[in-house]
Amino acid sequence: MGAKMGRDFHAMNYDDGCKSCHDQGIRIQPSDKACEQCHDVNDLAEATQRSGDEVHQNPHNNLHYGKETPCTECHGEHEAKAPLCADCHTFKFDAHKN
């Protein structure tokens, strides 16, 4: 994707410049607060809720971090990232978008 390109669904932010997301400086990943300007963690937790044996496999509300998992641990705008959970677990998040 490159440094000046990202994912299509964030394209509306590009006209506002890098600082619209990079609130801690251009060479530093955006803070969770920057992500939460547009993305509500409670809505994300509800949207990624699982059921049955997978109820605790919610990336936005999990047993390790609750709703406090840093956004950039799993999501990257300019480069693809694997979900943090994949470091130790083998379950899949088929709908994961980097």
Side-chain angles (χ1 to χ4, degrees):
M1 287 183 268
K4 294 191 178 184
M5 295 171 53
R7 295 178 292 164
D8 290 344
F9 62 86
H10 283 152
M12 75 288 247
N13 295 332
Y14 300 150
D15 289 338
D16 294 334
C18 301
K19 291 182 180 180
S20 66
C21 293
H22 287 272
D23 59 336
Q24 303 181 98
I26 299 303
R27 299 200 181 271
I28 300 173
Q29 292 181 340
S31 69
D32 286 348
K33 184 178 177 182
C35 298
E36 292 169 358
Q37 288 181 58
C38 298
H39 303 281
D40 182 272
V41 70
N42 292 314
D43 290 345
L44 291 169
E46 185 177 330
T48 55
Q49 185 174 344
R50 293 176 160 207
S51 60
D53 292 342
E54 299 179 337
V55 71
H56 297 295
Q57 296 177 10
N58 186 335
H60 297 105
N61 188 9
N62 59 74
L63 290 174
H64 300 293
Y65 302 101
K67 295 180 183 176
E68 302 296 321
T69 305
C71 304
T72 57
E73 285 295 325
C74 302
H75 301 282
E77 179 67 16
H78 305 294
E79 60 184 90
K81 288 182 143 187
L84 175 66
C85 305
D87 288 350
C88 301
H89 298 282
T90 58
F91 47 79
K92 302 285 185 210
F93 296 113
D94 296 330
H96 178 260
K97 293 179 179 155
N98 300 332

